[in-house]
Amino acid sequence: MQLTVLAIFVALFVAQVELLSLSGRITNGEFAVAGQFPYQVGFNVSFGNSSTWCGGTLISHRWILTAAHCMDGAVSATAYLGALNITNDLEPGQLRYQVHKSHMIVHANWTASTVANDIALVQLPLAVEFGDRVRAAELPRGLNGSYSSYEQMTAYASGWGRDSDSSSSTSPTLRYVAMPVMPQARCKLYWGGSLSEKMLCMSTSSGKSTCQGDSGGPLIYKEDDKSYLIGITSFGLATGCEIGFPSIFTRVTSYLDWIWQHTNN
């Protein structure tokens, strides 16, 4: 009976799926403190006559990983590194870089209609020095070519999006949520055929979630003193981010070869 009710719920809402865009947020999250997420990047992305806000993750001295739907068609972007308050251009440790579209690499098989291969790379114009406020996240490490599914493990998502469904603008201050990665089988009950093996889900109980403006931002698994980038914020339900519907992320372990191919050239 529960599955039948859930199937009806999915049928009512699945058509309302949309990409996360400028008006999104970390809903019901905690405020970050200086140096807590040194790999976090913010992007003010320009499309010529319009702009949007997205997130990203620093993965080396020059490379940032983000979502394809953030950079597809972009003309340029301003990258914010080491920031807590994106409205404060005098914030200690905050760095800003202008990036031209020639330094953006959108996955060749990115498909907007199915949100497949929602991954992109951005190269900074110069290498950044690492410190307390700016440092790269680690890419996942496997054993004999096999990687964890991270199911049921606690992961951290962060960004500058709105802090509630009633808010009309992005948050000036970085926020985060810590929630478990949802088992793939359970997530399929919500998203059905929209979910591929190259995606993973984050539970959004208690209204804690990512949404539009957090697109491209990090989903991090912490182990010892390491922060591993396991997901890229991709999409969620258009009707709201506080209703408990799982958020979807691009699964980074599915694209490690693609990342290494482009960043090692």
Side-chain angles (χ1 to χ4, degrees):
M1 181 63 179
Q2 287 182 323
L3 291 180
T4 301
V5 172
L6 188 55
I8 294 172
F9 182 74
V10 172
L12 289 172
F13 285 97
V14 73
Q16 301 183 68
V17 176
E18 68 175 17
L19 299 182
L20 308 188
S21 61
L22 178 62
S23 59
R25 64 276 185 188
I26 291 287
T27 57
N28 299 308
E30 305 293 332
F31 286 108
V33 298
Q36 187 175 5
F37 302 102
Y39 46 79
Q40 176 78 50
V41 178
F43 282 113
N44 185 3
V45 188
S46 172
F47 297 91
N49 295 325
S50 64
S51 64
T52 192
W53 182 266
C54 275
T57 308
L58 188 67
I59 59 170
S60 73
H61 290 279
R62 287 199 68 176
W63 287 99
I64 299 166
L65 203 58
T66 186
H69 77 264
C70 287
M71 299 299 162
D72 187 17
V75 174
S76 64
T78 302
Y80 293 64
L81 280 69
L84 281 181
N85 188 331
I86 54 175
T87 65
N88 181 7
D89 56 5
L90 299 178
E91 181 180 33
Q94 184 181 136
L95 304 171
R96 298 185 185 184
Y97 296 92
Q98 289 298 121
V99 181
H100 188 263
K101 64 179 180 180
S102 61
H103 287 165
M104 302 173 186
I105 303 172
V106 175
H107 196 288
N109 295 322
W110 151 243
T111 307
S113 60
T114 59
V115 208
N117 305 303
D118 192 12
I119 187 170
L121 281 160
V122 175
Q123 186 180 39
L124 292 169
L126 51 85
V128 296
E129 293 186 11
F130 291 163
D132 293 339
R133 297 287 291 266
V134 177
R135 186 169 297 275
E138 303 272 347
L139 291 175
R141 297 176 183 174
L143 181 63
N144 298 324
S146 178
Y147 295 91
S148 172
S149 68
Y150 300 101
E151 291 184 357
Q152 306 287 23
M153 296 182 182
T154 298
Y156 296 80
S158 47
W160 284 276
R162 293 182 300 178
D163 57 7
S164 71
D165 280 340
S166 61
S167 179
S168 60
S169 63
T170 54
S171 167
T173 306
L174 184 64
R175 297 171 184 258
Y176 72 95
V177 291
M179 297 294 288
V181 175
M182 180 178 285
Q184 201 79 347
R186 183 180 169 202
C187 192
K188 281 184 177 292
L189 296 177
Y190 290 87
W191 287 103
S194 300
L195 186 72
S196 80
E197 294 305 313
K198 292 185 177 182
M199 301 172 182
L200 54 77
C201 297
M202 189 179 189
S203 174
T204 59
S205 62
S206 304
K208 296 180 179 181
S209 178
T210 56
C211 207
Q212 295 105 323
D214 296 315
S215 287
L219 183 67
I220 294 288
Y221 170 67
K222 295 181 179 290
E223 186 174 45
D224 299 325
D225 61 342
K226 301 288 188 181
S227 296
Y228 293 101
L229 178 65
I230 64 172
I232 301 167
T233 306
S234 184
F235 66 91
L237 203 64
T239 50
C241 297
E242 295 182 89
I243 62 175
F245 221 80
S247 296
I248 307 299
F249 299 78
T250 302
R251 187 185 294 272
V252 172
T253 54
S254 297
Y255 296 93
L256 291 176
D257 288 344
W258 181 85
I259 295 169
W260 291 325
Q261 173 190 350
H262 290 286
T263 57
N264 289 330
N265 287 339

